[in-house]
Amino acid sequence: MAIETLATVEDAGRKSLAEIAYESVRDRLLTLDIKPGDLLNDDQLAKELGIGRTPVREALKRLELDRLVVTYPRRGTFATRVEVTDLAFISEIRVQLEPVAAARAARVATPAHRDRLRRIVREVEAFDLKAATVVETLKLDASVHQGIYAAAANPHLEDVLIRYDNLATRIWCMVLDRLPNLEHHVHEHVDLLQAVIDGDEDKAAELARVHVSGFEQAVREALFAA
């Protein structure tokens, strides 16, 4: 079965089977193709991915560290549930660390990283939200944030932020069709990216803070309006 994912298409030979399984299952969790509370059957997943059960089990262990799945003895592995309180907890962390990453990226990004961010700016500016699928929208959002994390050149900070950005994405997917200013949310990335490219640490940090705070507020309003 073909599965559309957020992962960038790369030469499969560059990745282990466990990495391929991890990215495929992660993306299905993020886009709620696998819904909160669903049981994950490693045998079925292995068949869908066309690989053995061992890499799938390795992927599920990694996803448990990411807090995307939870395993109960003698019951199995389930997609973690999404609670409203999770939004506040996740945002509390992101509103502190996203500005740190943006400021650091503005300060230390290499010419190659700045070129990559310029390419992402062009992608955001050309993005047709009305014609895009959910996966395409989320892939663009992930490319913005992960481009900044990579440019910040702190692997520990990058690891933490990717994990919490993934958790935020799951919540975002729950209300994606109810967000009134989704186009603004997507396109406000341009100013943030440009501040990083220009090396403006203070502006990059402030725009990152505003972006995360605005995300929380919009999602909260959508959740309580449902």
Side-chain angles (χ1 to χ4, degrees):
M1 180 176 73
I3 300 170
E4 188 180 14
T5 71
L6 307 184
T8 302
V9 176
E10 296 184 26
D11 179 5
R14 298 178 186 175
K15 298 181 181 180
S16 68
L17 291 177
E19 183 72 15
I20 293 170
Y22 169 78
E23 291 184 355
S24 297
V25 179
R26 177 203 62 196
D27 292 348
R28 292 180 64 186
L29 288 162
L30 297 187
T31 57
L32 305 185
D33 180 47
I34 299 174
K35 296 179 174 55
D38 279 359
L39 174 66
L40 282 78
N41 183 297
D42 55 2
D43 195 32
Q44 180 63 33
L45 288 171
K47 289 178 181 177
E48 291 176 359
L49 294 169
I51 60 178
R53 292 172 64 185
T54 298
V56 170
R57 288 173 176 173
E58 291 176 13
L60 293 178
K61 289 179 182 178
R62 185 173 167 189
L63 289 163
E64 188 161 22
L65 293 175
D66 290 344
R67 297 181 179 271
L68 291 172
V69 305
V70 59
T71 300
Y72 298 103
R74 295 182 296 279
R75 289 182 57 197
T77 299
F78 297 82
T80 52
R81 296 192 177 278
V82 178
E83 308 292 346
V84 175
T85 50
D86 292 337
L87 176 62
F89 293 147
I90 292 166
S91 295
E92 185 176 29
I93 295 168
R94 293 185 71 221
V95 80
Q96 296 295 323
L97 295 185
E98 291 276 355
V100 172
R104 180 175 169 80
R107 184 171 69 255
V108 307
T110 64
H113 276 129
R114 293 184 202 273
D115 284 344
R116 178 186 176 192
L117 295 180
R118 290 187 185 96
R119 289 195 297 272
I120 296 173
V121 167
R122 291 193 291 271
E123 290 173 8
V124 175
E125 289 176 333
F127 192 71
D128 185 351
L129 186 62
K130 293 180 181 177
T133 66
V134 170
V135 168
E136 288 169 340
T137 302
L138 296 178
K139 183 177 179 180
L140 180 74
D141 187 76
S143 72
V144 171
H145 289 282
Q146 293 182 22
I148 293 172
Y149 305 158
N154 181 329
H156 302 288
L157 180 62
E158 182 178 11
D159 181 64
V160 170
L161 279 171
I162 288 175
R163 181 172 300 177
Y164 284 99
D165 186 55
N166 284 343
L167 292 172
T169 295
R170 248 178 125 215
I171 298 174
W172 192 26
C173 272
M174 293 178 66
V175 297
L176 197 60
D177 60 342
R178 302 198 297 274
L179 292 176
N181 295 315
L182 183 57
E183 187 165 356
H184 172 73
H185 175 84
V186 170
H187 287 280
E188 72 179 3
H189 284 129
V190 171
D191 289 340
L192 170 58
L193 289 164
Q194 195 60 54
V196 173
I197 293 165
D198 292 343
D200 191 334
E201 294 181 48
D202 292 340
K203 185 176 181 180
E206 177 60 15
L207 289 174
R209 185 193 65 77
V210 169
H211 182 72
V212 173
S213 299
F215 166 83
E216 180 188 9
Q217 183 62 31
V219 172
R220 188 175 295 280
E221 290 173 359
L223 284 170
F224 285 106

